[in-house]
Amino acid sequence: MATQNLIQRLDSANKETMNRAQYEYFLATSAITAGQTVSLDAAKTDSDRALYVLPADVDAADTSFPVGIAFGAAAAGDKVKVCIGGYFEGADVSGTTAKGSLLQIGSTAGRLEVRTTAVNEGGAATFNLLPIVALALEADTANKADVYIINSFC
């Protein structure tokens, strides 16, 4: 892990210069596609749990620790650049995403879903509220949308 993860630059013509975004490099446990939300791989041991990532999936206990969204594709064992905070273009999101939606990990690996859970304070139900990963800056187009990632990794 880098000792400094803050890379900020203003360049509205090029998303690769990270218009007010922060990124970190990890190693991919399995194949990752560009725009997928990635999770720390809790199935690893020791400090490798903070080094390896794979597509985030709420249905798998070892992949529900989201850290950001992959800039590009990576094969297992490859280094992958992950946006851990700020602006990101083309995140993999659910088809129900609207501008302003709060997004969390879902049951499709790597895809963000709209948070729809309402909590009734007077009821006896228990809720497992997942952390908000990003805020949708636009409605989805074919399951892709620009988002603002809320940095909860560092």
Side-chain angles (χ1 to χ4, degrees):
M1 303 294 284
T3 56
Q4 173 67 313
N5 68 8
L6 183 61
I7 305 289
Q8 293 187 336
R9 215 174 131 176
L10 292 176
D11 183 359
S12 63
N14 185 355
K15 73 175 184 175
E16 294 303 316
T17 57
M18 297 154 314
N19 305 312
R20 306 300 283 174
Q22 299 171 331
Y23 70 92
E24 186 65 74
Y25 287 93
F26 296 90
L27 294 178
T29 296
S30 61
I32 295 171
T33 60
Q36 280 191 314
T37 299
V38 295
S39 165
L40 294 176
D41 186 355
K44 296 288 185 186
T45 58
D46 301 323
S47 62
D48 281 353
R49 289 177 284 208
L51 176 62
Y52 285 86
V53 294
L54 67 170
D57 186 347
V58 73
D59 293 331
D62 290 333
T63 65
S64 58
F65 308 97
V67 293
I69 301 176
F71 271 103
D78 287 352
K79 186 166 65 169
V80 60
K81 183 178 176 181
V82 176
C83 182
I84 62 170
Y87 178 76
F88 187 88
E89 286 184 3
D92 188 357
V93 298
S94 74
T96 60
T97 302
K99 183 177 183 176
S101 294
L102 295 175
L103 303 170
Q104 65 186 25
I105 62 172
S107 57
T108 300
R111 179 169 288 166
L112 292 173
E113 293 182 358
V114 176
R115 164 140 330 148
T116 57
T117 305
V119 178
N120 177 355
E121 295 181 29
T126 302
F127 295 95
N128 182 13
L129 296 178
L130 299 165
I132 298 298
V133 176
L135 171 70
L137 298 175
E138 63 185 5
D140 77 286
T141 301
N143 293 103
K144 297 291 183 188
D146 296 348
V147 300
Y148 192 87
I149 301 166
I150 300 167
N151 188 339
S152 60
F153 177 62
C154 294

